[in-house]
Amino acid sequence: MESQPAQRWEFSNRASKIDPLAKEHPEIKFTFAEVKGKYQDLQHAIVDTRVASRDRLVIWLMSYNGELSKYLSSLGLHLIQPHYANRWFSTIPKETHDTGECLGKIRLEAATGEDHSPLVVIPKPDGLAARSLKFVQWLANENPQGKWERFLNEKQTDLRWDKVILSGISHGSTTSARFAKHQKVARVVAFSGPRDQLESWQSLPSATPSNRYFAFTHILDKGWTADHYCRSWQMLGLAKFGPLVNVEKAKFPFENSRRLITDFDVDGNANKAHGIVVRDGRWKEVWKYLYTHPVDQVGKPSPPDPDCTMKIRPS
C-alpha cells in the first residue's frame, strides 16, 4: 500500500454492516431504519494525522457533531460516534421512569449489553461497548494511517478503556456519566447534563475517579434552572475540585474547576441554551480545557451549592 500524506480522515459506516451480530430492537426505538434519507445505525469517526496524537479516543454519545468533532481531531484526539440505544426514554411508562430506580439501570444495560434492567433486553453485540469495539476494529483495518489499534488491547478483543473519553450532550452526557460509574475511563465530558434528577446512581461508588468528570452547561438550559444538573454535579462530587465557574468571566484554565457554566446571550431561549454549548466556535478554549486539561490539576474544594435543590419531586 502506498503511503498517503497526513490529513484529516473521516469515515462513516453502518453498525449492521460492520457486525452481522448487530440486531434491531424496535420496541425501544433502536433500529437500522432509514429516516429522512439517513440510516439510523450510521456511525462516524474522525482523526487528523497531521497533528500529534494525544492517545485518547473520544466516544461521542448522541448525534454526530461535525463542528465539535473536527475541532477535537485538530487537538490530536481520535473520535467515534457509535450507534447505541438512546431513544428508549419515551417507551418507558412515566409511572415507571419516575420511581428513581429505573433510568440508570437502563442506561447501564444500553452501555454494556449486560442485564441490568428488567424493562429492556439489549444483548452484548448491541451495547455501546461492543458497538464501539467493533467500530474501532474496523477502523484499525480500514485506516492504518490513523493507528486506531492503539485503542485495542494486545489481543484486540477489547477497548483500552484507560484511553477512552466518554462524552455527550443531554441524554448522551447522562449515559456517559452512568457508564463511567461502572467502567473506569480516562475522562468524562458532560454537556447539558447529567440529568436523571430523580435517580440516586450519581452518588454510587465510581470506577472512574471523580476528578475525571468535567461538565459544562448554559444557565438558561431547563435542566439547569430546574436544578437537575447542579444536583448531579453535587452527587458526583465535583464541588471537591473547584467552584462553579462562569467561562464568560474567567480565563483558561477556569480555576481548574470541573463545573463550568455560561450566561452567553441566547435571547432568553432555553432550547437554544441547551444545545449551544456544543456549537459555535466561540467555545473552543472551553472545549480544549474540558477534553485535554490534566485530570490531576484540580481547583480548591467548594462547599455545596445552597441554592441547588437536592430532593426533586416528579413533575
Side-chain angles (χ1 to χ4, degrees), residues 194-226:
R195 215 159 198 162
D196 286 4
Q197 65 273 12
L198 303 178
E199 303 263 320
S200 59
W201 61 260
Q202 297 93 324
S203 60
L204 290 174
S206 183
T208 301
S210 52
N211 63 308
R212 298 186 185 184
Y213 291 78
F214 292 74
F216 179 41
T217 190
H218 195 289
I219 63 171
L220 291 186
D221 185 319
K222 292 179 182 178
W224 181 259
T225 57

Side-chain angles (χ1 to χ4, degrees), residues 20-55:
L21 295 179
K23 303 298 181 185
E24 296 182 278
H25 302 274
E27 71 280 3
I28 55 171
K29 299 183 179 180
F30 186 27
T31 72
F32 304 151
E34 185 177 9
V35 178
K36 296 181 180 179
K38 178 183 176 182
Y39 288 105
Q40 297 303 290
D41 65 325
L42 188 65
Q43 306 178 128
H44 300 271
I46 188 170
V47 61
D48 194 332
T49 57
R50 296 171 297 186
V51 295
S53 174
R54 291 181 182 267
D55 203 26

Side-chain angles (χ1 to χ4, degrees), residues 10-267:
E10 298 182 65
F11 299 90
S12 60
N13 200 354
R14 297 179 61 189
S16 57
K17 297 292 185 182
I18 291 174
D19 184 8
L21 295 179
K23 303 298 181 185
E24 296 182 278
H25 302 274
E27 71 280 3
I28 55 171
K29 299 183 179 180
F30 186 27
T31 72
F32 304 151
E34 185 177 9
V35 178
K36 296 181 180 179
K38 178 183 176 182
Y39 288 105
Q40 297 303 290
D41 65 325
L42 188 65
Q43 306 178 128
H44 300 271
I46 188 170
V47 61
D48 194 332
T49 57
R50 296 171 297 186
V51 295
S53 174
R54 291 181 182 267
D55 203 26
R56 291 291 183 268
L57 172 67
V58 177
I59 299 182
W60 176 256
L61 309 187
M62 290 309 281
S63 300
Y64 186 65
N65 181 324
E67 178 187 8
L68 176 62
S69 299
K70 289 176 182 177
Y71 177 68
L72 295 182
S73 74
S74 77
L75 297 178
L77 296 168
H78 290 61
L79 181 145
I80 63 171
Q81 179 254 327
H83 179 238
Y84 77 105
N86 62 6
R87 298 187 176 185
W88 48 262
F89 194 89
S90 63
T91 70
I92 307 301
K94 181 171 172 42
E95 61 272 17
T96 301
H97 70 58
D98 280 354
T99 62
E101 301 293 335
C102 164
L103 306 183
K105 294 177 181 178
I106 300 177
R107 291 185 190 280
L108 191 55
E109 182 156 339
T112 63
E114 299 168 352
D115 185 16
H116 291 281
S117 170
L119 299 175
V120 296
V121 178
I122 303 173
K124 199 85 171 180
D126 300 321
L128 166 68
R131 292 277 177 96
S132 297
L133 171 62
K134 290 295 184 181
F135 197 15
V136 172
Q137 289 172 333
W138 179 83
L139 287 162
N141 182 67
E142 184 74 14
N143 179 226
Q145 300 88 346
K147 299 182 179 179
W148 296 87
E149 68 278 1
R150 70 174 70 224
F151 303 115
L152 298 170
N153 65 11
E154 187 175 351
K155 295 183 178 180
Q156 298 197 349
T157 56
D158 197 6
L159 291 178
R160 287 284 308 273
W161 291 102
D162 59 319
K163 296 184 177 185
V164 167
I165 298 173
L166 291 171
S167 184
I169 181 170
S170 194
H171 182 106
S173 75
T174 311
T175 297
S176 293
R178 180 63 190 96
F179 187 26
K181 283 280 183 172
H182 174 83
Q183 171 66 59
K184 186 177 182 180
V185 294
R187 181 186 305 249
V188 177
V189 179
F191 295 98
S192 304
R195 215 159 198 162
D196 286 4
Q197 65 273 12
L198 303 178
E199 303 263 320
S200 59
W201 61 260
Q202 297 93 324
S203 60
L204 290 174
S206 183
T208 301
S210 52
N211 63 308
R212 298 186 185 184
Y213 291 78
F214 292 74
F216 179 41
T217 190
H218 195 289
I219 63 171
L220 291 186
D221 185 319
K222 292 179 182 178
W224 181 259
T225 57
D227 288 346
H228 299 174
Y229 305 161
C230 69
R231 175 183 180 271
S232 287
W233 295 4
Q234 194 68 38
M235 294 172 72
L236 289 169
L238 305 193
K240 293 184 295 184
F241 310 110
L244 201 63
V245 174
N246 187 336
V247 300
E248 310 302 332
K249 300 175 182 178
K251 295 181 179 180
F252 186 97
F254 309 110
E255 299 187 48
N256 294 315
S257 180
R258 301 304 188 254
R259 301 180 297 154
L260 304 187
I261 58 172
T262 177
D263 58 2
F264 177 69
D265 185 11
V266 291
D267 299 319

